[in-house]
Amino acid sequence: MCDENSSIHINSLDSLKSFIEKLGCADSKQLTEEQREEIFINANQKEFSTESVGWMVDIISPNDISTSMFRRSKRSLNEVSMESAIDLIKKALELEVNVAEIYVDTVGPPDKYQEKLKAIFPKIKITVAKKADSTYPIVSLASICAKVSRDHALKVWKFREGIEVPEDGFGSGYPGDPVTKRFLQEYEPVFGFPRIVRFSWSTAVNALEGSAFAVEFEEEDQPGKEKVVLGSKKMTSFFKAEVPVKKFKRHQFWKDRCIEDVTDF
Amino acid sequence: MSIRLQISKNALESENDADVHFIPASIDGNANTKVDEYFNSYKSIENGLQINALRGYPLKGIEIDLPDNMQGLVLRENEKLQMNAERELKFGGKFDKFTYWNYDKNPSENDSYRKAMHWLKVSEALHSEITSLDDVKL
């Protein structure tokens, strides 16, 4: 339900090596929540945090992601993620971290992403790769920091909607989780779900279809423009007498203001 | 077909105003809904504009006062009556201002709602009585 991005800063490459060996990082997806937390706690021990590693996460709320994706000029989830990564690097530089190398787990094609980052940060060695999470321990650790932060954010989530969360919670947020599926069965007719749910998530959209009220926003297409229908005349139209219908056209003044005659409401 | 409006003087003089929102979307249904919990609780202010979201769509809003000498009313109809029966609308609330929301667009004088309000002035000019030729502007 949430998305997260993180970056790791190291004081020296040598200390990084020994550091990661000590922590025992691996692909964060293959670790249990408990294992991730253990590594996270170790990474924040004084000796590690002052000697070799600092971390920063950018937590983007589900609401922020949907409103970015549903802007009039739509942004994809990948674009949201890239922007967040770029901001994190900029923030590290602002804090005067000496960034020599950057390792990034890709979203979308890695070479394009890498080019994009190189154009913004030409002096830094940048590696963007698929599955960097399992190839580069530093990325794995960054991912652990991100996942632990996300898990914590969800644990302490305050529902302003005043809903009662079922005893078993709302699950992992992955579409296959039966607890998450059950959580999505409860809805509000107009607003749909509480904002812990990302509305740009197809699972959420599908869950609302047919149950909650259909809500349709004005589309970006220019209003008043008629759709062009392609194709020739229907065969049967030649057998009908054509009765010319004089269409009464409203003046632009009324059209611009959405004013119409109403006899019933 | 006539429509009866049931509005008591007491109701109009009550101090509580209804919380009314102009939403740039069609909502296919009618129901009581938890506006305070699901919507108002997430409102924030950015550069003088109200920011919120509905079903993940970004909204930008401002508070708009009704034109002078106008009273906003919320009317309720309990049930759809049979055809041709006299309809009755009951008082549901009153308001003098409301929150106007645009879908990811700063509210401005170019919005249809605000332009529609021009009609009030045009209508006044068209329908006010001309008592002397001096009133006619050429």
Side-chain angles (χ1 to χ4, degrees):
Chain A
M1 294 180 190
C2 281
D3 196 21
E4 73 295 289
N5 251 310
S6 62
S7 67
I8 295 276
H9 316 296
I10 323 127
N11 286 341
S12 81
L13 288 174
D14 284 342
S15 61
L16 165 73
K17 235 184 174 181
S18 61
F19 166 74
I20 285 163
E21 274 165 19
K22 274 186 201 163
L23 285 180
C25 282
D27 183 350
S28 70
K29 284 188 206 83
Q30 284 168 18
L31 298 169
T32 64
E33 195 178 328
E34 287 75 30
Q35 284 171 316
R36 285 201 298 262
E37 250 162 53
E38 202 192 316
I39 295 171
F40 180 75
I41 287 166
N42 282 332
N44 286 302
Q45 297 295 316
K46 202 182 171 195
E47 49 170 321
F48 290 123
S49 52
T50 52
E51 292 300 308
S52 48
V53 67
W55 58 275
M56 204 176 359
V57 293
D58 178 22
I59 299 188
I60 314 170
S61 74
N63 188 62
D64 282 345
I65 300 175
S66 336
T67 52
S68 295
M69 292 177 76
F70 287 156
R71 289 189 334 187
R72 279 177 192 267
S73 53
K74 310 255 180 299
R75 268 195 297 183
S76 71
L77 200 52
N78 288 353
E79 284 171 299
V80 175
S81 171
M82 287 185 210
E83 217 165 275
S84 163
I86 292 164
D87 278 351
L88 275 171
I89 299 168
K90 280 185 182 162
K91 264 180 202 141
L93 293 172
E94 270 168 34
L95 293 167
E96 292 176 352
V97 175
N98 178 21
V99 183
E101 297 179 33
I102 298 172
Y103 294 86
V104 185
D105 199 356
T106 196
V107 285
D111 35 343
K112 264 196 175 174
Y113 192 177
Q114 187 158 320
E115 259 172 51
K116 187 176 174 153
L117 290 177
K118 276 192 173 151
I120 305 171
F121 309 105
K123 287 179 190 155
I124 306 172
K125 187 188 165 224
I126 296 168
T127 310
V128 180
K130 276 184 192 168
K131 291 183 183 157
D133 197 352
S134 46
T135 326
Y136 302 99
I138 191 70
V139 180
S140 174
L141 181 59
S143 183
I144 286 168
C145 292
K147 285 197 167 72
V148 171
S149 303
R150 183 198 65 169
D151 290 344
H152 182 72
L154 288 175
K155 250 177 222 156
V156 299
W157 190 277
K158 287 220 163 58
F159 284 89
R160 299 185 197 169
E161 290 84 0
I163 58 164
E164 268 185 44
V165 180
E167 246 171 59
D168 52 356
F170 39 77
S172 62
Y174 294 108
D177 188 334
V179 182
T180 298
K181 275 187 192 164
R182 216 176 316 132
F183 182 75
L184 292 177
Q185 278 167 9
E186 294 283 326
Y187 63 89
E188 211 273 352
V190 173
F191 299 105
F193 294 121
R195 297 210 193 173
I196 196 170
V197 178
R198 175 162 66 83
F199 283 91
S200 56
W201 184 34
S202 59
T203 312
V205 175
N206 294 340
L208 284 181
E209 208 148 294
S211 49
F213 294 153
V215 171
E216 228 177 288
F217 280 79
E218 48 171 280
E219 265 316 307
E220 301 88 287
D221 299 336
Q222 288 198 340
K225 269 201 178 165
E226 275 180 44
K227 269 191 186 167
V228 182
V229 183
L230 295 172
S232 49
K233 267 189 174 179
K234 268 188 189 169
M235 181 70 102
T236 48
S237 69
F238 293 103
F239 302 109
K240 281 178 194 157
E242 264 186 44
V243 185
V245 184
K246 263 203 176 172
K247 265 199 179 166
F248 172 72
K249 273 197 178 166
R250 295 191 76 79
H251 190 274
Q252 199 62 35
F253 177 88
W254 309 109
K255 281 190 189 164
D256 287 347
R257 286 159 182 81
C258 300
I259 296 179
E260 278 176 45
D261 287 335
V262 173
T263 53
D264 191 22
F265 70 94
Chain B
M1 187 171 50
S2 64
I3 298 176
R4 254 166 58 111
L5 299 181
Q6 262 197 16
I7 300 159
S8 72
K9 211 177 161 226
N10 278 350
L12 283 180
E13 280 163 1
S14 75
E15 281 186 20
N16 296 341
D17 270 12
D19 176 28
V20 176
H21 297 267
F22 185 109
I23 300 286
S26 66
I27 300 171
D28 188 22
N30 252 322
N32 283 328
T33 190
K34 294 177 176 164
V35 179
D36 275 335
E37 292 91 331
Y38 278 76
F39 191 72
N40 290 343
S41 66
Y42 284 97
K43 190 182 81 182
S44 64
I45 308 274
E46 238 172 68
N47 304 324
L49 286 179
Q50 300 190 26
I51 303 291
N52 213 327
L54 175 64
R55 299 263 182 116
Y57 282 76
L59 300 177
K60 293 178 173 185
I62 49 160
E63 212 170 77
I64 293 185
D65 288 321
L66 292 189
D68 290 342
N69 305 319
M70 294 248 166
Q71 174 68 62
L73 289 178
V74 180
L75 299 170
R76 291 176 198 274
E77 187 167 31
N78 277 348
E79 53 198 286
K80 276 259 182 263
L81 296 165
Q82 291 156 324
M83 290 276 282
N84 298 325
E86 188 179 77
R87 289 169 66 191
E88 199 176 79
L89 298 182
K90 284 184 180 152
F91 177 84
K94 69 175 175 78
F95 59 97
D96 299 314
K97 57 181 190 304
F98 63 95
T99 316
Y100 175 89
W101 297 99
N102 264 346
Y103 162 39
D104 194 24
K105 195 167 67 178
N106 288 3
S108 78
E109 291 295 336
N110 279 327
D111 294 328
S112 298
Y113 166 78
R114 287 222 240 168
K115 287 207 288 192
M117 291 300 111
H118 296 161
W119 168 240
L120 295 174
K121 286 225 164 105
V122 176
S123 147
E124 202 183 300
L126 284 174
H127 299 292
S128 60
E129 234 172 278
I130 298 170
T131 46
S132 83
L133 273 180
D134 296 340
D135 288 346
V136 183
K137 286 179 192 142
L138 291 173

